[in-house]
Every structure is written in structure tokens, then in C-alpha cells.
Amino acid sequence: MVIFTVKSAMLPIVAVIGRPNVGKSALVNRLSGEQDAIVFDEPGITRDRTYRPGFWQDREFQIVDTGGLVFDDDTEFLPYIREQAQAALSEAIAAIFVVDGKFGLTAGDEEIAMVKNPKCSYCLGC
């Protein structure tokens, strides 16, 4: 269950999406100013979407951490992770698409880039 305060319910939502282990949770920690999102060098740690107050310069927003998106595998929790990421995108006014700068764009990144939300602006982060 996700609980919003009155103030947080009025803030714009920004979703963080990308493949597993590209730094989504580390970015969420940076933008929230807390170390609540688990950062671990193993895929599949983040499975649900989590909301935190986020700050960037003079802007306040709700930042949503999502699990790593994999489209060509339906084992374990992967379909549920995709469902949670899509729910975050459907609520968001903006999305930060995180990719691994060491490896460049992959076929998985290209699949994620095809996920659309007409009311959502995208930003690519490496």
C-alpha cells in the first residue's frame, strides 16, 4: 500500500525507468537526499514502485523508483515489475530513462524507449 501525505499528493510525479542495474535506485537516492532505495549489484532487488519526496534545484516532486525492465523474459517477478513500472509511467508527468553509459544503448533500452505515455516528458540519463 502506498500512502501519500496531502502535500505529496499535490506534487508532480517523476518516474525513473530503465533496465536492471543501470543506477535507477542510486539516482532516486540522490534526488531524494536519502539512502532509502536499496542499491545492490544484483538484478531484481527493486520489484515494486516506491515513492519519495524529490528535490532538484528549486523544484519539489515525487520521485518513483521502479524495478528494472526486461521484456523478453516472463520468469519470476519480471511481468509484475513491468506492470509496476507502467503504473508509475501512467501517473507521471515526466520520466527519467536511465541507461548504462559504459555499455551504450542496448536492444533492451530501445524496447524501453518505445514505452509511451502521451502526458509524460522523457529525459535520458546515463
Side-chain angles (χ1 to χ4, degrees), residues 5 7 30 64 67 76 90 113 116-117:
T5 64
K7 181 178 180 184
R30 171 94 165 120
V64 185
E76 296 187 45
S90 70
K116 301 287 187 214
N117 174 357

Side-chain angles (χ1 to χ4, degrees), residues 45-78:
I45 299 300
T46 306
R47 296 179 181 161
D48 207 347
R49 65 189 192 276
T50 59
Y51 297 78
R52 289 179 181 72
F55 312 93
W56 183 252
Q57 298 178 353
D58 64 341
R59 306 286 181 173
E60 289 186 58
F61 49 89
Q62 283 291 306
I63 188 85
V64 185
D65 192 13
T66 64
L69 290 169
V70 177
F71 290 100
D72 61 352
D73 189 344
D74 283 337
T75 59
E76 296 187 45
F77 295 101
L78 295 175

Side-chain angles (χ1 to χ4, degrees), residues 2 6 18-19 25 27 29 34 58 61 63 67 79 91 96 99 111-112 114 123 126:
V2 178
V6 173
R19 290 183 296 109
S25 295
L27 178 62
N29 283 340
E34 300 174 357
D58 64 341
F61 49 89
I63 188 85
E91 298 172 330
I96 301 172
V99 299
E111 276 189 271
I112 294 168
M114 300 304 286
C123 174
C126 297

Side-chain angles (χ1 to χ4, degrees), residues 86 88-93 114-122:
Q86 186 60 50
L89 280 173
S90 70
E91 298 172 330
I93 64 155
M114 300 304 286
V115 177
K116 301 287 187 214
N117 174 357
K119 71 174 188 165
C120 189
S121 298
Y122 285 83

